[in-house]
Amino acid sequence: MRKKIDKMPAILDFLQSATGLVLALFIMGHILFEASILISNEMMYKVTLMFEGYYFFGERYPGIISFLAAAIFVIFIVHAGIAMRKFPASYKQYKTITKHTMRMKHEDSSLWAIQVITGFMMFFIGSVHLYIMMSQPSNIGPFASSSRVVDEFMGPLYFMLLLSVISHAFIGLYRLALKWGFMEGKNTEVSRGRFKFLMKAMIVAYIVIGLSSLAKYTYIGVTHDFSDGVRYKSETIKIGEHK
Ligand code: HEM
């Protein structure tokens, strides 16, 4: 009798790649939308209204943000859960991996180690952020977000989250391209070098954008007078009082 092939490892591998791709694309959009604060408070407010469905329904529905955050949270948990099988399971395994990585000085193995460390960090800090977004969806806006960064001490957490998520996302995309055969040109060395350059350039660009936004939220948080609350009053859109 022919033995049945166990397809589970292949399914898990595919699921890890697919969820990773969705999360990486999400974070690329997220950092840019949230950088609207660099243009103006009004622009960030308009982006917030867009995600609340205001331009579609004519009314604000912050529940849409909760729903989106919950969906991302589920994908995040599935991705982390599947990735756990690749974590070193004992101190002995951990020692062997670090010894080999140090001795080989092989950049792709070091990239794998960075993925494990940044992934582990995000288990905790990513979850805190996602839970807040899910439970307080109407607390987003130029003033509410700045107040959270400064008065609720989210600044240091965002700083660590930014460094870990950006490195993790772009190293992940590079490894995906490698794994699914996008670097198999005539000269694999050359195409691998190009993808690696692109990966590093994107990491630097996104970290610069993210840090600039964080600096702007911090600046508003420190300089704005929040004594009458964290509500932002739009110059052009009059729909009552808004965050
Ligand atoms: C639908 C889910 C999400 C929503 C609605 C959301 C929304 C926001 C908002 C409004 C801010 C600005 C600060 C604030 O208001 O507190 C922010 C900052 C940030 N978020 Fe998210 N976020 C989501 C998911 C994620 C995920 C999954 C990650 C990474 C694992 C992430 C990483 C970050 C980082 C690193 C910052 C600081 C960015 C900077 O330094 O410029 N977010 N997020």
Side-chain angles (χ1 to χ4, degrees):
M1 208 172 89
R2 260 187 39 210
K3 239 176 131 187
K4 241 183 139 193
I5 298 170
D6 184 1
K7 294 194 183 119
M8 202 38 123
I11 294 172
L12 290 179
D13 240 28
F14 176 76
L15 257 183
Q16 188 173 1
S17 295
T19 49
L21 180 64
V22 171
L23 290 170
L25 294 176
F26 167 80
I27 208 71
M28 283 166 76
H30 173 319
I31 298 296
L32 295 182
F33 284 124
E34 184 237 328
S36 51
I37 196 75
L38 294 173
I39 300 174
S40 64
N41 290 352
E42 186 73 11
M43 185 54 98
M44 197 260 171
Y45 177 67
K46 284 181 178 161
V47 169
T48 309
L49 285 183
M50 180 182 83
F51 281 104
E52 289 177 344
Y54 176 73
Y55 298 111
F56 194 73
F57 302 111
E59 245 178 280
R60 303 173 69 201
Y61 291 104
I64 296 174
I65 294 184
S66 290
F67 179 78
L68 187 65
I72 292 294
F73 217 165
V74 170
I75 301 173
F76 183 79
I77 292 169
V78 170
H79 183 74
I82 303 171
M84 263 176 63
R85 76 199 198 285
K86 304 246 175 98
F87 275 40
S90 65
Y91 179 66
K92 202 169 155 214
Q93 281 185 5
Y94 166 79
K95 280 280 282 194
T96 314
I97 291 168
T98 28
K99 219 164 81 191
H100 282 298
T101 311
M102 305 266 243
R103 191 176 297 160
M104 286 194 299
K105 295 206 181 359
H106 178 238
E107 201 181 0
D108 283 30
S109 303
S110 313
L111 289 181
W112 180 82
I114 297 177
Q115 286 303 78
V116 174
I117 296 165
T118 51
F120 188 70
M121 281 170 71
M122 280 192 291
F123 264 126
F124 309 100
I125 47 182
S127 302
V128 172
H129 175 51
L130 272 167
Y131 193 79
I132 295 175
M133 289 298 121
M134 220 167 69
S135 58
Q136 301 175 26
S138 50
N139 254 350
I140 295 174
F143 292 165
S145 294
S146 302
S147 159
R148 183 167 29 246
V149 167
V150 175
D151 300 331
E152 292 170 26
F153 304 106
M154 287 298 282
L157 186 130
Y158 283 151
F159 177 73
M160 286 189 291
L161 187 56
L162 180 72
L163 297 187
S164 47
V165 75
I166 296 303
S167 324
H168 195 93
F170 287 108
I171 294 176
L173 286 178
Y174 165 79
R175 289 168 58 83
L176 264 190
L178 184 70
K179 183 170 184 172
W180 298 101
F182 284 91
M183 295 179 204
E184 288 165 5
K186 272 195 209 111
N187 190 335
T188 48
E189 275 301 298
V190 174
S191 69
R192 193 184 273 223
R194 283 191 188 137
F195 271 92
K196 207 171 267 175
F197 174 79
L198 187 64
M199 170 193 82
K200 288 178 184 166
M202 292 299 269
I203 291 178
V204 172
Y206 265 87
I207 287 186
V208 169
I209 297 171
L211 285 181
S212 310
S213 313
L214 199 53
K216 179 84 184 276
Y217 286 113
T218 308
Y219 174 77
I220 300 170
V222 170
T223 56
H224 184 77
D225 178 9
F226 290 105
S227 55
D228 60 346
V230 292
R231 293 182 181 275
Y232 173 78
K233 290 194 182 66
S234 169
E235 296 148 15
T236 52
I237 304 165
K238 304 280 175 227
I239 37 174
E241 286 219 306
H242 304 293
K243 299 265 181 188

